[in-house]
Amino acid sequence: MVNIVAIGGSTRPGSSSELAVRMAGKGAEAAGATVVYITGRDLMLPIYDTESSDRTEAASVFVAALRAADGVIVASPGYHGGISGMIKNALDYAEDLAKDEHAYLDGRAVGCIAVAYGWQATVSTLHQLRQVAHALRAWPTPLGGSVNAAVVSLTEGSEDAATKAQLETIGRQVTEFAIMREATANKTTAG
Ligand SMILES: Cc1cc2nc3c(=O)[nH]c(=O)nc-3n(C[C@H](O)[C@H](O)[C@H](O)COP(=O)(O)O)c2cc1C
């Protein structure tokens, strides 16, 4: 069973970036994954503290979910041309995985999705998310998600077909990569 963690959203309940990550999660579920969603205000973690290994309950849950994940989907709103502070801070907690056998997000695919109110921040935020995924030794999926909320309204129950297809494909790609990695690992063990 493939286990995916889907993170995203802003502090606003029902935010468009939260809905985007949930749509992508549906694609992962349809491809056979179990998806753990950590979204919105559950990502309001204290600033990542390099001077202490004490972690809040929410931060511990978040780090444990990342550690257990075979793949990750992350959606950030575009804030002033980049990843929101809340999402970037959550991703900084991957530092707690630095000494794991598979350090950071090594060997895992990350589906990256940016939602902004204009093309410029949509594209630059997606680019940043991919850079962060690379820094965490992960594999950004071939398809990235870019949702321009000035063009497409992402609200509960909204079903823009192209956006849905784009986001579900990202979830599917994360899952397929995890399945392929698992098959390769089993083959190596068997051989
Ligand atoms: C602090 C802040 C900065 C923002 N900066 C930008 C920006 O630079 N460019 C842009 O297109 N949209 C910007 N936005 C709009 C969000 O990207 C937009 O509302 C998007 O739909 C994601 O927000 P949501 O996930 O809360 O719905 C900003 C919003 C906030 C609150």
Side-chain angles (χ1 to χ4, degrees), residues 36-136:
V36 174
Y37 295 90
I38 305 179
T39 59
R41 298 179 80 85
D42 287 343
L43 294 166
M44 284 182 77
L45 307 177
I47 288 290
Y48 183 75
D49 187 350
T50 58
E51 303 310 299
S52 168
S53 56
D54 292 345
R55 298 288 175 250
T56 62
E57 176 66 22
S60 299
V61 166
F62 180 74
V63 170
L66 273 190
R67 183 170 278 131
D70 302 305
V72 177
I73 306 169
V74 53
S76 176
Y79 278 7
H80 305 145
I83 303 171
S84 72
M86 185 174 85
I87 296 295
K88 181 60 172 62
N89 182 53
L91 291 171
D92 287 344
Y93 276 83
E95 190 61 25
D96 283 7
L97 310 181
K99 294 194 166 47
D100 284 14
E101 185 189 348
H102 293 285
Y104 302 102
L105 298 178
D106 178 46
R108 283 157 277 187
V110 178
C112 301
I113 301 163
V115 184
Y117 204 76
W119 287 120
Q120 181 168 285
T122 307
V123 173
S124 56
T125 303
L126 174 60
H127 182 63
Q128 286 187 1
L129 284 169
R130 287 179 147 159
Q131 297 291 99
V132 171
H134 276 144
L136 295 175

